[in-house]
Amino acid sequence: MATIRVRFAPSPTGHLHVGGARTALFNWLFARQNNGVLVLRIEDTDLARSTKESEEVMLNDLKWLGLHWDEGPDKGGDFGPYRQSERLSIYREYADKLLAEGKAYHCFCTDEELEAHREQRRAEHQTPHYSGKCRQLSDAEKEKLKRAGRTPAIRFKASAEDINIKDLVRGNVTFPQGMIGDFIIMRSQGYPIYNFCVTIDDALMKISHVIRGEEHLSNTLRQIMLYKALGFPLPTFAHLSLILAGDRSKLSKRHGHSSLGQFEDKGYLPEAMINYLALLGWAPTTLSGDVEEMLSVEEITRQFSLEKVNKSPAVFDLDKLNFLSGHYIRRLPPEKTLELARPYLEQAGLVDENTDQAWLTEVVMELRGHLHCFSEITQHTDVFFKNELKPESDAEWEMLKAPGVTDLLSGLKGKLSGLTAISPEEFFALIKELKKEFGVKGKALFMPVRIALSGQQHGPDLGKLVSLVGPANCVKRIESALQNL
RNA sequence: GUCCCCAUCGUCUAGCGGCCUAGGACAUCGCCCUUUCACGGCGAUGGCGCGGGUUCAAAUCCCGCUGGGGACGCCA
């Protein structure tokens, strides 16, 4: 059996989109489980929008996810170059071939003429196709236009036949003939157009399965015409449904969380992202009854199948990503947890290289129960890093102002004063003494103490908190609370 | 407008004619655990878009409608 070869072909015109990431993932999974090859190709024929920076960002995003490719601009391979901007002579060669065979022709129409024509067609409720105007230009007319300073684009003669697409996800899709007009394959400036490049590259790179987003389904029609005209064998197609935003329109920048890089920056875990993306449009065969949805990459690879990929579009659900990422964070070993949390703590100016490693690890482990991503950690750090903690709600003030609380807190302060360190057990022993001395217990005992020490009704285990913050800081906090009463 | 695609809880989905009084996950709500919150455990609420067929039997097959999406570029 021939080697399975798939490709991911982003255009470097911005960030890596969440949808693009899923497409890359599915290609990668498919290649992996079939012992195939994943090709990374950069589609940078849009000179105006493509940037080198964007290309780098995209490669890094892919690497962050853990998706590696076998052939690509940075890796080389037998079918390079892998950047379309470096394959221009190839496209020109094939364009000339089509021209020579009469399957394409020069088109001298200007943008304005084309736009005017489209407008008119639309006004007449017709499909806004190209008219084929330049198709029958005589040599004399062409010469005249050239002398007038017009440089022609190359237009492909669309074939007049129904086109059938065999698609692994969608089954058979047929487009009736006459759906599209003659389309440009080479710009007047001499650069090729997307549909032309993809076809040539996919064919020359021996891509066996084209797995991509559904927005390309109608492009496939053009590409099939080109495959046929060029005499290339057809690959197998698989069009993945789109990822939608909450308003059910295509997920885009304006929806806020469309770029993969954002999730990396916020400190989401790549394994959670993989898990989430895989579940978006695909479900493991074992899914039913009491089945785990937390899947490792290995498990996903083992079970993945294009036939099981859903046809209907899926809404990107941040809640579920949050759940998965939080779940994975809670399963991280302490050292790793610290390593990932540290940059956010440093950025907030809370820690530096001198901060005690063991202490910080405990703090981070105490906080991680709340996290969906590591950047959220700074929302919870005050209790460990600030000594002036002012309650915000009236309920908290009331509990502090309850009768006897001043004496209670003074008592606690007295017991903590002079100590250099205290364990949770020792702290609770002190609390026990207070309980006897002041005759308070339960909520009436713990809440004022908690609020004085943490500024809030809620927070980490008091023993943990006190042992980590230390007696001296606790004394400061109690003093600060007492002053405000 | 034309063409194509899609349609099960709010969201992601299981379901491929009888195991479905439709299963799971997230979210929501409640209970438990806990001195509090979070975590964790348990439970609840909630869905087959509509109308026709086909069949002994339809979420599952067919048709129509409705709704949503995508594409119609010298963008990819």
Side-chain angles (χ1 to χ4, degrees):
Chain A
M1 199 179 120
T3 314
I4 299 275
R5 292 176 59 84
V6 295
R7 87 304 197 276
F8 178 60
S11 66
T13 55
H15 55 250
L16 180 64
H17 185 98
V18 167
R22 189 191 54 164
T23 303
L25 171 64
F26 282 19
N27 270 286
W28 181 78
L29 289 169
F30 187 70
R32 266 190 115 198
Q33 77 172 175
N34 289 295
N35 232 300
V37 172
L38 174 62
V39 175
L40 182 77
R41 184 174 70 223
I42 303 297
E43 311 219 322
D44 55 353
T45 51
D46 184 347
L47 266 30
R49 295 198 298 151
S50 300
T51 65
K52 189 75 193 164
E53 297 75 63
S54 168
E55 179 184 321
E56 275 169 34
V57 167
M58 288 191 173
L59 298 205
N60 282 333
D61 286 346
L62 254 17
K63 285 177 191 161
W64 173 71
L65 273 180
L67 307 184
H68 49 83
W69 46 98
D70 306 291
E71 297 172 24
D74 57 334
K75 289 205 137 186
D78 295 339
F79 301 86
Y82 293 93
R83 231 176 245 114
Q84 292 187 329
S85 58
E86 292 164 14
R87 302 170 63 79
L88 265 19
S89 59
I90 301 174
Y91 309 129
R92 286 183 186 137
E93 187 187 313
Y94 281 100
D96 287 342
K97 186 172 174 245
L98 290 175
L99 234 27
E101 290 170 358
K103 292 173 178 167
Y105 58 94
H106 287 294
C107 174
F108 292 85
C109 296
T110 61
D111 283 344
E112 294 71 34
E113 289 168 353
L114 260 17
E115 186 49 44
H117 177 253
R118 266 196 294 273
E119 284 296 310
Q120 191 196 330
R121 294 278 296 187
R122 259 191 251 271
E124 292 166 0
H125 298 301
Q126 305 261 24
T127 330
H129 293 161
Y130 179 62
S131 62
K133 186 179 163 194
C134 293
R135 212 156 157 161
Q136 44 272 335
L137 245 34
S138 68
D139 287 348
E141 285 169 315
K142 286 182 193 165
E143 269 314 304
K144 196 179 157 195
L145 285 160
K146 273 183 193 164
R147 270 199 304 277
R150 291 208 189 174
T151 44
I154 299 175
R155 219 176 252 282
F156 177 76
K157 288 183 184 170
S159 45
E161 59 175 337
D162 291 3
I163 298 286
N164 181 262
I165 301 170
K166 284 178 68 182
D167 192 294
L168 251 29
V169 173
R170 270 145 226 293
N172 279 19
V173 180
T174 304
F175 286 85
Q177 69 122 266
M179 254 310 288
I180 52 168
D182 297 348
F183 55 92
I184 305 265
I185 53 175
M186 292 290 273
R187 297 175 169 93
S188 50
Q189 294 89 345
Y191 291 97
I193 286 295
Y194 169 74
N195 281 299
F196 191 49
C197 307
V198 208
T199 305
I200 291 173
D201 290 344
D202 285 341
L204 260 32
M205 293 178 181
K206 301 247 184 295
I207 301 302
S208 60
H209 298 255
V210 172
I211 305 168
R212 71 215 324 182
E214 197 200 307
E215 69 268 30
H216 292 291
L217 192 56
S218 51
N219 282 323
T220 310
L221 172 68
R222 291 177 182 70
Q223 290 161 25
I224 287 180
M225 289 179 185
L226 286 167
Y227 274 103
K228 289 183 175 171
L230 260 8
F232 292 138
L234 287 176
T236 302
F237 293 98
H239 287 95
L240 274 22
S241 61
L242 264 19
I243 295 180
L244 269 27
D247 63 1
R248 300 209 75 92
S249 68
K250 193 171 157 183
L251 185 66
S252 71
K253 303 113 250 159
R254 62 172 233 277
H255 293 111
H257 41 250
S258 67
S259 104
L260 193 79
Q262 290 174 8
F263 295 100
E264 181 181 356
D265 294 345
K266 284 183 183 165
Y268 281 85
L269 292 184
E271 51 269 48
M273 198 69 198
I274 293 273
N275 196 156
Y276 179 66
L277 252 21
L279 255 19
L280 213 50
W282 170 83
T285 38
T286 53
L287 189 76
S288 63
D290 233 6
V291 169
E292 195 68 73
E293 284 197 15
M294 256 70 73
L295 301 166
S296 67
V297 206
E298 289 69 32
E299 188 55 25
I300 295 169
T301 309
R302 202 175 65 70
Q303 292 205 47
F304 185 76
S305 118
L306 280 177
E307 283 76 12
K308 291 282 294 175
V309 170
N310 251 296
K311 287 198 264 268
S312 46
V315 172
F316 186 86
D317 182 18
L318 190 60
D319 281 333
K320 188 145 183 180
L321 204 217
N322 277 338
F323 163 77
L324 285 170
S325 186
H327 171 88
Y328 281 99
I329 285 175
R330 266 164 247 125
R331 258 137 267 255
L332 251 25
E335 322 78 63
K336 188 74 183 169
T337 312
L338 174 61
E339 181 193 324
L340 293 172
R342 185 158 208 141
Y344 300 96
L345 298 171
E346 285 180 358
Q347 207 184 340
L350 296 171
V351 307
D352 56 35
E353 60 280 4
N354 299 319
T355 310
D356 184 79
Q357 191 85 354
W359 177 80
L360 194 54
T361 305
E362 283 200 64
V363 167
V364 166
M365 291 302 278
E366 202 56 40
L367 257 21
R368 75 170 179 181
H370 299 274
L371 307 179
H372 301 114
C373 57
F374 281 102
S375 62
E376 288 175 351
I377 198 168
T378 53
Q379 295 166 23
H380 308 278
T381 44
D382 280 2
V383 277
F384 287 112
F385 293 89
K386 277 176 75 174
N387 284 332
E388 299 76 37
L389 297 155
K390 289 218 178 77
E392 281 174 11
S393 75
D394 293 344
E396 283 155 353
W397 279 114
E398 272 171 37
M399 283 187 241
L400 274 186
K401 286 177 175 160
V405 168
T406 310
D407 292 341
L408 176 72
L409 292 178
S410 300
L412 177 60
K413 183 187 149 192
K415 291 183 190 301
L416 288 169
S417 295
L419 296 179
T420 50
I422 187 168
S423 71
E425 295 72 28
E426 288 163 344
F427 173 74
F428 284 118
L430 293 187
I431 289 289
K432 220 170 179 180
E433 290 174 22
L434 284 177
K435 189 174 165 182
K436 277 189 191 144
E437 290 166 24
F438 293 87
V440 283
K441 58 179 182 175
K443 203 176 167 186
L445 169 63
F446 282 98
M447 272 307 161
V449 170
R450 171 174 289 286
I451 295 167
L453 292 176
S454 74
Q456 315 166 44
Q457 297 178 68
H458 309 305
D461 176 83
L462 269 183
K464 268 269 166 50
L465 178 71
V466 170
S467 72
L468 286 170
V469 166
N473 286 325
C474 286
V475 167
K476 282 185 200 161
R477 292 179 183 196
I478 293 169
E479 282 170 350
S480 161
L482 252 19
Q483 272 168 25
N484 284 305
L485 283 177

